[in-house]
Amino acid sequence: MPRIKTTLAKSLALRIGSGMLSLLFVALVTFVAGEMAPGDAALMLAGEKASPAAIARIRTELGLDQPWPQRFARFVGDAARGEFGRSYFGVKEPVRDVLARAVPFTFKLAALALIVATLLGVGLGALAAVYKDTWIDRVALTIGTLGVTVPNFVLAPILVFVFVIKADLLPVNYDPQLPVAEFYYLILPTLVLSARPMASLSRLTRASLLDALRQDFVRLAIAKGLSPWRVNIVHGLRNAILPVVTSMGSSFGFLLTGSFIVERFFTVPGIGFVGIDAIQKRDTPVLMASVLVTGAMFIVVNLVVDLILPVLDPRIREASI
Amino acid sequence: MFWAGALFMVLLIVVAVVGPTMRHHYLEPVAQPFLEPSSKFWLGTDEQGRDLFARLAFGARMSIFIGLTVQAVALMVGILVGVAGVFAPKWVAGPVMRLTDAMFAFPDILLAILIIGIVGMGFLPVVIALSVTAWPPVARLVMTQCRALKEREFVTASRALGTPTIALVRGHVLPHVWSVLLAVSMVELAGTILSESALSFLGIGVQAPDPSWGSMINVGRAELQSHPMVLFWPCLALSLTIFALNFLGDALRERSDPRNL
C-alpha cells in the first residue's frame, strides 16, 4: 500500500510541475509579445506632452531600463499578484480593475454553458447508447455532428433569428440598463457557447456507455433481473462517466477561451470582449493581461481536473497512472 | 459522402477562381443596396449595393487561399519537427518535443489573437498567426506515426544496411505517413478556414473593404432583422465548406486505415 501511495504522490507532483511549466511558458510567450508590440509603455503612460525627465522617471518606476530576464521575473511576480500595469487609454485605469469587471461575466457564461452542455450532452449520449441503431441514435448523431461543425458565429444568428426576430422572446445584446433580469441576456449566449461541448460530450458519453454496457458486470445485472433503468444508469452510466468528466474539464477550459466570439456577438462585457477591444485600440497591457489570464484559467482548470480524477476513480488511484 | 464533399469543394474552387472576375466588381457599389436576387445580381446586393455573389466568391478565394497557405506552412514545419522529434539526436529531439508539447498549453485562438495584437490586423497577420498555431497538431501526428514506424522490421533492416537517416526517413518512413497526413490535413484545413472566419468576424482578421465570409457575417449581423439573406449566404457557404472538408477527411481516413501501420 505505501508503495502505491508514493507513486501516486509522485505522478501528482509531476502533473503539478508540468502545469507550472505550462503557466510559465504562457507567461513567457505573453511577455515576448509585449516586448515586440509597438508603442513604448513609458511614453504611452506619461502622455504626449510629458517632459523627457518624467518619461525617464516612469521608465525606471516600471523597471523598463533593466535587462529582460529581470523584467520577465518582475512580470511574472506582478502577474502572480494580479498586477498588470495600467491601460494606455482613457483614465489609464489599472488593468486589474478592468479584469475584475470582465472575468465574472466570462466565468458565469462558461459555467452556465458547461452545465447546459453536460446535462444535454450526457442525456443525449445516454439515450443514443441505450437506443443504439434506432432513430433516436441517428437524431443524436446528427445533432452531435452539427454541433461540432457549425461555427458559433453561424449558430448565433440562427438562434437570434428564431428566438428574437421571429418569436420575439429574448433580448439580443447585453444591456444592464434595461429592466430585464440578467438571466434572459445570458440564455442565448449560453446556448450558443454550449453547442460544441454538448456535441462532443454526447459522442463521448455514447461511446463510453456502449463500452460499459458490454462489460460482464452489466450482463450480471441483467441476469439478476434488475430493471433496464437500474442496469443502464446505475451500472452502466456510473462506470462510463469518467472519460466524460475528464472531457468536461477541457471543455470548461475551451468555454473560457471560446467566449471571445460569443461575447463579441452578444456584446457581453467579458474578458474576450475586452481583449478584442484592446487589439483594436492597441492597448497592449490589457491585451496581454486578458490573454495571460485566459490562458492561465485554461491550464489551471485542466490541472484541477487531472488532480480530481484519482479521487473519483479508485482504478486510477491504485494503478497510479 | 466522399463524393458529396469532393464535388462541393471542386465547385467552390471553380467559384473562387472564376467567380470574382466573372461577376461585377466586389469592392464598389454597383446598384441599390439590398436588391433582391435577379439575373443580373444572382444573390442580390449588400448594404452598400455591392454584388453579393461577387463578394461571396471573393470570400471563397480568400478562405481557400489562406487555408492552403497556412496548411502548407503547417505541413512543412510539422513534418520537419515531427521527424526531428523521433529521428534527430537527443539534444535536438528533446527540446523539439518539449516545445511541441508546450504549444498545446496555449488554446489556438488565444495565441492567434496575441500574435495579431503584435503584428497588427489584416491578411498577412492572419496567415502568420494561423500558421504558428497550426503546426503542433501536425508535428504530434508525425511523431506518433514515426515512433511506430521506427520499430518496424523494414525500417530496422534498412538501418542495419547502413542507410543514412535522411534517406531512411524519405524512402521508408514518410511514404507511410502521407495518406494519414492527407486525411488529417483536410480536417485541419476546415479548422483553419473556420479560424480565419472567426478572426475576420471579430474584426481583427481580413480588413474592410476586402470581403471575407467572417467579416460579411459580422456586417450582416446588423441587418439581421430587415435583410436576413445578406447574412444567410456567407453562413451557408462557410458551414457547407466545413462540412465538405470534414466529410473528405473522414472518408480519406477510412481509406488510408492507419491500423495497417
Side-chain angles (χ1 to χ4, degrees), chain A residues 4-315:
Chain A
I4 290 168
K5 272 207 178 119
T6 49
T7 40
L8 177 67
K10 204 170 139 195
S11 72
L12 288 186
L14 270 177
R15 183 64 190 84
I16 292 175
S18 84
M20 291 295 159
L21 278 181
S22 299
L23 279 177
L24 210 59
F25 178 73
V26 170
L28 180 65
V29 172
T30 315
F31 174 75
V32 172
E35 293 289 296
M36 286 162 66
D40 180 352
L43 213 62
M44 294 300 287
L45 288 176
E48 298 206 339
K49 293 180 204 84
S51 65
I55 294 174
R57 202 186 62 241
I58 293 183
R59 200 178 295 275
T60 325
E61 244 171 59
L62 294 175
L64 291 177
D65 48 356
Q66 287 166 351
W68 75 265
Q70 267 102 319
R71 284 207 308 279
F72 179 59
R74 185 177 162 148
F75 173 74
V76 171
D78 282 353
R81 281 181 288 111
E83 288 296 337
F84 299 97
R86 284 165 179 278
S87 164
Y88 284 170
F89 298 96
V91 291
K92 306 217 170 8
E93 193 183 9
V95 177
R96 175 217 281 263
D97 296 353
V98 177
L99 289 182
R101 242 180 300 127
V103 170
F105 283 108
T106 303
F107 218 79
K108 211 184 300 173
L109 205 56
L112 279 175
L114 184 68
I115 293 170
V116 171
T118 308
L119 290 180
L120 290 181
V122 171
L124 205 63
L127 276 179
V130 172
Y131 298 100
K132 187 172 175 288
D133 294 330
T134 64
W135 65 271
I136 297 177
D137 189 16
R138 277 191 291 277
V139 168
L141 188 71
T142 313
I143 295 178
T145 316
L146 283 177
V148 172
T149 39
V150 172
N152 276 347
F153 49 96
V154 170
L155 183 61
I158 295 175
L159 290 187
V160 168
F161 191 74
V162 173
F163 287 105
V164 181
I165 294 176
K166 286 292 158 199
D168 197 18
L169 285 173
L170 297 166
V172 187
N173 290 340
Y174 188 84
D175 181 1
Q177 303 299 321
L178 281 177
V180 191
E182 189 187 66
F183 175 69
Y184 287 102
Y185 290 111
L186 292 178
I187 291 179
L188 282 181
T190 303
L191 278 181
V192 173
L193 197 56
S194 64
R196 215 186 162 88
M198 188 270 286
S200 59
L201 285 178
S202 82
R203 283 176 167 191
L204 195 65
T205 307
R206 178 182 183 274
S208 180
L209 182 55
L210 280 179
D211 198 44
L213 290 178
R214 271 194 291 268
Q215 304 288 319
D216 285 342
F217 57 80
V218 169
R219 234 175 277 162
L220 174 70
I222 297 172
K224 278 201 307 193
L226 295 181
S227 69
W229 168 262
R230 274 193 73 88
V231 172
N232 287 326
I233 302 304
V234 178
H235 293 259
L237 198 56
R238 235 181 85 186
N239 285 289
I241 210 72
L242 197 76
V244 180
V245 174
T246 321
S247 166
M248 266 170 70
S250 52
S251 290
F252 188 61
F254 278 109
L255 286 174
L256 286 172
T257 55
S259 58
F260 278 82
I261 288 167
V262 172
E263 285 176 9
R264 203 70 196 170
F265 194 97
F266 294 101
T267 59
V268 179
I271 197 160
F273 191 88
V274 167
I276 300 299
D277 204 39
I279 292 186
Q280 283 164 345
K281 284 200 268 183
R282 293 218 153 260
D283 197 347
T284 310
V286 175
L287 171 66
M288 283 167 69
S290 50
V291 168
L292 187 56
V293 167
T294 320
M297 287 198 288
F298 177 72
I299 293 169
V300 169
V301 167
N302 280 312
L303 178 63
V304 168
V305 170
D306 281 358
L307 295 184
I308 291 177
L309 277 183
V311 180
L312 289 179
D313 191 350
R315 279 172 301 184

Side-chain angles (χ1 to χ4, degrees), chain B residues 88-119:
Chain B
K90 259 214 172 83
W91 59 273
V92 179
V96 154
M97 281 166 64
R98 217 64 34 83
L99 178 68
T100 311
D101 284 341
M103 289 298 288
F104 282 92
F106 238 120
D108 282 1
I109 188 101
L110 210 57
L111 188 54
I113 285 172
L114 187 65
I115 292 171
I116 288 176
I118 313 162
V119 188

Side-chain angles (χ1 to χ4, degrees), chain B residues 17-118:
Chain B
V17 173
V18 300
T21 50
M22 197 169 114
R23 297 304 299 168
H24 309 278
H25 203 263
Y26 55 87
L27 289 180
E28 284 114 35
V30 287
Q32 298 288 314
F34 301 122
L35 283 184
E36 295 285 311
S38 62
S39 58
K40 195 159 178 230
F41 308 109
W42 292 350
L43 300 179
T45 56
D46 72 355
E47 77 288 345
Q48 294 189 28
R50 296 172 296 196
D51 184 12
L52 210 52
F53 178 79
R55 289 181 69 73
L56 206 63
F58 196 85
R61 186 184 278 190
M62 200 66 115
S63 290
I64 292 174
F65 185 73
I66 292 181
L68 289 181
T69 314
V70 167
Q71 281 310 309
V73 175
L75 278 179
M76 267 189 299
V77 177
I79 291 174
L80 217 61
V81 167
V83 168
V86 176
F87 288 99
K90 259 214 172 83
W91 59 273
V92 179
V96 154
M97 281 166 64
R98 217 64 34 83
L99 178 68
T100 311
D101 284 341
M103 289 298 288
F104 282 92
F106 238 120
D108 282 1
I109 188 101
L110 210 57
L111 188 54
I113 285 172
L114 187 65
I115 292 171
I116 288 176
I118 313 162

